[in-house]
Amino acid sequence: MENLSISLKPKPMKILISIFLILSTALIYSQTREETLDWLNLKLEEFGDNQIMGTYQISIKKDDNYGDYLLFVRKSWNPLLNRNTYQYYSFVPEVVSKIYLSTKNRTNSTLDIFIRSDTEDIYVPEDDEFVSEFTISMKNGHNEITNRIQKGLLHLLNLMGNNIEPQKELFTN
């Protein structure tokens, strides 16, 4: 009778391919638009400067003429009116040229997030005007999460077809 021995030793090439497949599936995973939007809204609500400038919420809307566009809603408390007031900013993702962090207009070292268009393509319906920039003010002492929110906004725009490179910090403390 013939000797039918089966080698149970795995082949090195099969091991390499298996490791590559496992690592590549882990590395190519990134958050979807909905997951990114949920995370951003959670962090903006928690770390937005709701005492002074208000907090933001973001949604993706669809228009027959323009396709998907972003709607940022700033909710702030107005003590004179004794109620919340709302400010809206809407734009298609392609108009955003930069999302950057700055301490502009702040007396402390708290970072704020600026969303900028090279042209005045960000619509503000309450004022019936277009602007080139708006600011998301953040709570004091949370600069690390502000950096992460900036990256999340860049990721959301990337998922919507606008790949913006993050601004390089030339001077840091």
Side-chain angles (χ1 to χ4, degrees):
M1 191 150 194
E2 242 177 79
N3 187 1
L4 297 175
S5 66
I6 300 174
S7 174
L8 297 177
K9 281 184 163 179
K11 305 258 189 257
M13 190 57 138
K14 286 184 180 180
I15 292 172
L16 288 174
I17 291 173
S18 298
I19 291 171
F20 174 75
L21 289 174
I22 290 170
L23 288 176
S24 65
T25 57
L27 293 175
I28 61 171
Y29 174 78
S30 68
Q31 292 182 321
T32 64
R33 283 184 357 174
E34 292 74 23
E35 290 170 331
T36 302
L37 203 57
D38 290 344
W39 183 86
L40 284 168
N41 283 328
L42 179 71
K43 297 306 176 190
L44 288 170
E45 182 70 30
E46 185 176 354
F47 296 102
D49 189 358
N50 56 0
Q51 294 295 322
I52 298 171
M53 299 305 292
T55 59
Y56 282 83
Q57 290 292 285
I58 311 166
S59 58
I60 299 173
K61 304 291 183 182
K62 190 163 202 66
D63 182 87
D64 292 337
N65 297 320
Y66 300 106
D68 288 345
Y69 68 93
L70 288 163
L71 178 65
F72 282 68
V73 180
R74 183 182 76 185
K75 177 179 78 171
S76 56
W77 177 255
N78 185 326
L80 297 174
L81 298 174
N82 198 27
R83 65 178 171 90
N84 283 325
T85 59
Y86 298 89
Q87 181 83 38
Y88 300 88
Y89 301 92
S90 65
F91 52 90
V92 292
E94 295 82 26
V95 304
V96 177
S97 59
K98 188 186 304 184
I99 297 178
Y100 63 99
L101 303 177
S102 176
T103 56
K104 182 179 176 182
N105 299 326
R106 298 297 288 262
T107 57
N108 55 31
S109 62
T110 298
L111 295 174
D112 291 326
I113 301 170
F114 290 79
I115 297 177
R116 177 150 185 72
S117 170
D118 286 339
T119 55
E120 293 184 343
D121 286 326
I122 300 170
Y123 184 57
V124 184
E126 298 79 28
D127 302 329
D128 193 28
E129 69 177 358
F130 288 87
V131 297
S132 61
E133 181 176 87
F134 69 96
T135 308
I136 300 173
S137 296
M138 304 301 291
K139 285 182 184 175
N140 295 340
H142 297 284
N143 288 348
E144 182 59 35
I145 194 69
T146 302
N147 281 305
R148 291 181 60 206
I149 292 171
Q150 177 201 27
K151 289 177 185 171
L153 289 167
L154 290 168
H155 180 67
L156 180 63
L157 287 176
N158 187 24
L159 291 171
M160 296 181 78
N162 184 358
N163 187 16
I164 300 172
E165 292 297 320
Q167 177 184 352
K168 301 287 186 221
E169 292 294 327
L170 299 177
F171 303 101
T172 57
N173 293 341

